[in-house]
C-alpha cells in the first residue's frame, strides 16, 4: 500500500497544521502525503473570510477535495480528523478513495447522539439563533470541555488560539442533518466500498466511542473500530500521538496491495 498517496483532511475551524504530526509520520514511512484545505480556509479571520464562508456547505468542501483527488495518479488513502473523517466517508460514497482512516469522525446522516453531553451540545446550538447564517469562531470553554478535555491548559489555549472561524451552514449540517434539505452528510453506501478504520478517543465528548462505533457498525465487515483510552477529540495532537499513527500504519500495511 505504500505506493498509494495519502491525503490528510482537517476538521472544522482548522487548517492543515492540525494534521502535521501525522503528515510527518507517514512521510517518513515512505508515503507521498498531501494536506489540502477547504475553500477560503487560507484567509485570515476578518470581514473577507466571513463574507466568503457565509452559507458555504460541506458539499462545497467535498467538491474541493474531490477536485484535488482528480489531480492524483490513483485513488488515495484519506486520513481525516473530525469533519475530515466525515468528508472521507462521503468521498468513499463516490468511489474516490482506496481506504480511509477516520480520527474521531464527525457523524454522518442517520447517526444519532448516544450521550447526554452530545445532546447538550446540540441544545447549545439551538439557543444560538440562526447560527447557520453566521461564521462562528471557537469558544474556549466549550472547546476545552468537549474537544481538548484531556490536554494541559496551556496546550488547550495554544490550539484554540490557532483555530479560526467556520461556516455556520457547515455546523448546521453536522449537528442537524435531519433538517438539512440537501442531505449534505448522507453517504451512498452502495458505492462506499473502500475499507475504513475508525479511531475513537475514549474521552472524546464531541463524538464519543458509543456514537463512533454505531457509525462504524453501519459498514459491517468493511470497517474496523479501535478505541484509545484517555484520548480526546484532537488526539492526533496529544502526547503519545505516535501510538495512534502506528496503529493506523499497521492497519494500512495489512490491507491487500492495490
Amino acid at each position: 500500500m505504500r505506493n498509494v498517496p495519502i491525503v490528510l483532511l482537517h476538521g472544522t475551524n482548522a487548517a492543515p497544521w492540525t494534521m502535521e504530526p501525522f503528515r510527518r509520520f507517514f512521510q517518513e514511512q515512505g508515503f507521498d502525503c498531501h494536506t489540502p484545505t477547504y475553500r477560503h480556509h487560507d484567509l485570515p479571520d476578518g470581514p473577507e473570510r466571513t463574507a466568503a464562508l457565509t452559507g458555504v456547505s460541506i458539499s462545497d468542501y467535498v467538491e474541493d477535495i474531490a477536485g484535488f483527488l482528480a489531480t492524483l495518479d490513483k485513488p488515495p488513502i484519506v486520513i481525516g480528523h473530525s469533519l475530515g473523517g466525515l468528508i472521507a466517508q462521503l468521498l468513499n460514497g463516490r468511489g474516490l478513495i482506496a481506504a480511509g482512516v477516520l480520527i474521531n469522525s464527525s457523524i454522518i446522516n442517520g447517526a444519532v447522539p448516544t450521550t447526554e453531553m452530545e445532546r447538550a451540545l446540540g441544545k447549545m446550538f439551538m439557543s444560538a439563533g440562526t447560527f447557520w447564517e453566521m461564521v462562528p469562531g471557537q469558544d474556549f470553554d466549550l472547546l476545552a470541555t468537549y474537544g481538548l478535555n484531556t490536554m494541559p491548559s496551556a496546550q488547550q489555549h495554544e490550539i484554540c488560539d490557532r483555530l479560526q472561524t467556520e461556516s455556520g451552514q457547515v455546523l448546521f449540517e453536522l449537528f442537524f442533518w435531519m433538517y438539512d434539505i440537501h442531505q449534505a452528510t448522507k453517504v451512498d453506501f452502495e458505492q462506499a466500498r473502500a475499507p475504513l478504520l475508525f479511531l475513537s478517543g475514549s474521552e472524546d465528548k464531541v463524538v464519543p466511542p458509543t456514537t463512533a462505533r454505531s457509525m462504524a457498525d453501519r459498514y459491517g465487515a468493511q470497517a474496523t473500530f479501535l478505541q484509545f483510552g484517555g484520548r480526546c477529540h484532537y488526539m492526533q495532537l496529544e502526547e503519545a500521538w505516535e501510538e495512534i499513527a502506528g496503529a493506523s500504519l499497521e492497519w494500512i500495511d495489512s490491507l491487500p496491495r492495490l
Side-chain angles (χ1 to χ4, degrees), residues 107 118 121-122 125 170-178 206:
I107 63 172
E118 283 179 281
L121 185 58
F125 276 103
V170 164
L171 299 175
F172 171 79
E173 292 165 353
L174 286 177
F175 287 94
F176 301 106
W177 54 261
M178 65 293 297
V206 182

Side-chain angles (χ1 to χ4, degrees), residues 97-109:
I97 70 174
V101 176
L102 316 176
I103 305 171
N104 291 322
S105 173
S106 296
I107 63 172
I108 58 175
N109 182 299

Side-chain angles (χ1 to χ4, degrees), residues 37-248:
T37 190
Y38 316 125
R39 65 184 64 186
H40 313 311
H41 280 60
D42 56 338
L43 296 173
D45 281 342
E48 183 182 2
R49 181 181 173 106
T50 296
L53 283 176
T54 299
V56 169
S57 167
I58 290 171
S59 297
D60 295 319
Y61 296 168
V62 173
E63 290 304 321
D64 294 340
I65 303 305
F68 177 79
L69 299 191
T71 69
L72 302 177
D73 292 337
K74 60 181 66 177
I77 300 164
V78 174
I79 301 177
H81 170 241
S82 194
L83 171 64
L86 166 61
I87 291 175
Q89 294 185 68
L90 294 169
L91 293 168
N92 189 22
R94 293 170 61 168
L96 297 179
I97 70 174
V101 176
L102 316 176
I103 305 171
N104 291 322
S105 173
S106 296
I107 63 172
I108 58 175
N109 182 299
V112 296
T114 59
T115 69
E116 284 301 320
M117 284 195 75
E118 283 179 281
R119 289 185 277 272
L121 185 58
K123 290 177 183 177
M124 290 180 200
F125 276 103
M126 289 179 188
S127 65
T130 55
F131 68 90
W132 52 89
E133 298 175 352
M134 307 174 191
V135 180
Q138 279 287 350
D139 176 83
F140 174 77
D141 290 335
L142 195 64
L143 183 64
T145 299
Y146 277 87
L148 307 175
N149 45 301
T150 60
M151 291 183 179
S153 177
Q155 188 180 16
Q156 291 176 340
H157 281 280
E158 178 185 353
I159 291 173
C160 189
D161 288 346
R162 293 189 69 180
L163 295 175
Q164 297 177 279
T165 53
E166 183 57 83
S167 164
Q169 178 65 25
V170 164
L171 299 175
F172 171 79
E173 292 165 353
L174 286 177
F175 287 94
F176 301 106
W177 54 261
M178 65 293 297
Y179 300 122
D180 174 23
I181 61 173
H182 300 294
Q183 300 290 278
T185 65
K186 187 174 183 178
V187 173
D188 183 350
F189 286 97
E190 291 286 328
Q191 300 299 320
R193 301 190 181 103
L196 301 174
L197 174 63
F198 284 78
L199 304 176
S200 180
S202 69
E203 304 308 310
D204 183 1
K205 307 305 180 187
V206 182
V207 187
T210 47
T211 301
R213 185 180 287 277
S214 71
M215 189 161 40
D217 286 346
R218 297 182 67 180
Y219 291 92
Q222 180 184 342
T224 300
F225 179 87
L226 292 179
Q227 180 175 320
F228 293 86
R231 307 302 178 90
C232 69
H233 189 65
Y234 278 81
M235 61 183 180
Q236 81 276 18
L237 296 177
E238 287 192 271
E239 186 177 354
W241 59 266
E242 294 93 342
E243 178 189 1
I244 301 165
S248 302

